[in-house]
């Protein structure tokens, strides 16, 4: 995050402490020991970087976003992000408000797996097949005035009873998730109370799809 004349800009680092010649990959085939894991191509001469977009959901519709940083090293490894511990200084655990520096992101721990399954979602699926977990976001630009690219991770788990009854599905909307928590279908990890796990990710929203 960069403060310029009182305006805060989200400016994640894609390469650090390397000469331009060492990261000149304008046509792809980048060296990921020198640049961010989400870099598809980088051209120091032209001053451009192509970044991989990630799919997710907000208010029931697909979104594309960038996954750049995380305050937790394990989450950073799973998300292909930079470990940025200072993001952990942001307040977590409370619902977002207009003046809050964070918003909520909802991540399934034990959602349905298998890429052929249209209900696929969650960390178990991502770790198993290597693709993205289809996370669900709260407020995003154009739909909420309290948007922030810093996301407070709320990890949820389907109860065994919900799975046995066939309720497990892909969840695409914040209030749907909160309703399922209230109905006892979702909990926190290992049956703990649902809520923030105290980890913040920097994931700027790029576009909401129709």
């Amino acid at each position: 995050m960069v403060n310029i004349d009182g305006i805060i800009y989200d400016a994640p680092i894609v390469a650090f402490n390397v000469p331009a010649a060492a990261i000149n990959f304008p046509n792809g085939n980048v060296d990921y020991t020198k640049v961010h894991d989400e870099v598809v191509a980088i051209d120091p001469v032209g001053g451009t970087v192509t970044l991989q977009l990630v799919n997710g959901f907000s208010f029931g519709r697909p979104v594309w976003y960038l996954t750049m940083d995380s305050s937790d090293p394990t989450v950073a490894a799973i998300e292909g992000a930079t470990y940025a511990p200072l993001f952990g200084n942001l307040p977590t655990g409370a619902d977002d408000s207009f003046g809050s520096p964070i918003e909520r992101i909802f991540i399934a721990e034990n959602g349905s797996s298998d890429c052929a399954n249209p209900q696929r979602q969650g960390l178990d699926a991502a770790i198993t097949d290597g693709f993205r977990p289809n996370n669900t976001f709260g407020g995003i630009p154009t739909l909420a005035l309290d948007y922030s690219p810093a996301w407070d991770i709320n990890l949820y788990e389907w109860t065994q009873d919900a799975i046995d009854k066939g309720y497990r599905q892909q969840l695409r909307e914040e209030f749907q998730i909160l309703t399922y928590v209230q109905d006892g279908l979702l909990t926190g990890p290992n049956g703990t109370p649902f809520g923030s796990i105290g980890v913040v990710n920097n994931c700027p929203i790029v576009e909401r799809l129709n």
Side-chain angles (χ1 to χ4, degrees):
M1 297 294 180
V2 179
N3 185 337
I4 300 178
D5 295 330
I7 299 174
I8 306 299
Y9 292 89
D10 191 3
I13 303 299
V14 296
F16 177 72
N17 199 30
V18 288
I23 55 171
N24 187 34
F25 305 105
N27 299 315
N29 298 314
V30 304
D31 181 352
Y32 288 111
T33 67
K34 296 181 173 65
V35 299
H36 194 287
D37 283 355
E38 298 301 309
V39 173
V40 176
I42 181 168
D43 183 358
V45 177
T48 62
V49 179
T50 302
L51 297 171
Q52 180 172 233
L53 295 178
V54 184
N55 57 294
F57 300 101
S58 179
F59 289 94
R61 293 186 181 180
V63 297
W64 282 336
Y65 66 96
L66 299 169
T67 177
M68 302 307 297
D69 309 283
S70 178
S71 66
D72 180 85
T74 301
V75 175
I78 293 173
E79 293 281 350
T82 299
Y83 173 45
L86 288 182
F87 270 105
N89 291 340
L90 294 176
T92 60
D95 197 3
D96 54 280
S97 61
F98 183 77
S100 174
I102 57 96
E103 248 285 8
R104 292 194 291 184
I105 183 174
F106 303 90
I107 302 178
E109 182 173 30
N110 64 339
S112 297
S113 58
D114 186 355
C115 287
N117 185 349
Q119 301 299 323
R120 178 194 173 281
Q121 188 173 47
L123 296 180
D124 285 355
I127 292 172
T128 300
D129 59 36
F131 291 94
R132 301 296 186 166
N134 294 319
N135 296 327
T136 304
F137 291 81
I140 63 172
T142 73
L143 294 178
L145 296 177
D146 57 353
Y147 164 74
S148 169
W151 298 92
D152 180 9
I153 294 180
N154 285 239
L155 189 63
Y156 66 87
E157 179 180 286
W158 288 94
T159 66
Q160 190 58 52
D161 184 57
I163 294 172
D164 292 343
K165 291 178 178 177
Y167 295 153
R168 182 165 56 178
Q169 60 190 278
Q170 190 178 81
L171 302 179
R172 302 183 174 189
E173 201 271 327
E174 174 180 12
F175 296 106
Q176 181 186 29
I177 293 172
L178 297 177
T179 299
Y180 279 20
V181 170
Q182 188 176 46
D183 292 343
L185 302 177
L186 305 175
T187 67
N190 300 314
T192 58
F194 169 81
S196 170
I197 62 170
V199 176
V200 175
N201 278 9
N202 178 23
C203 296
I205 295 290
V206 174
E207 186 172 1
R208 184 182 190 225
L209 306 178
N210 291 325

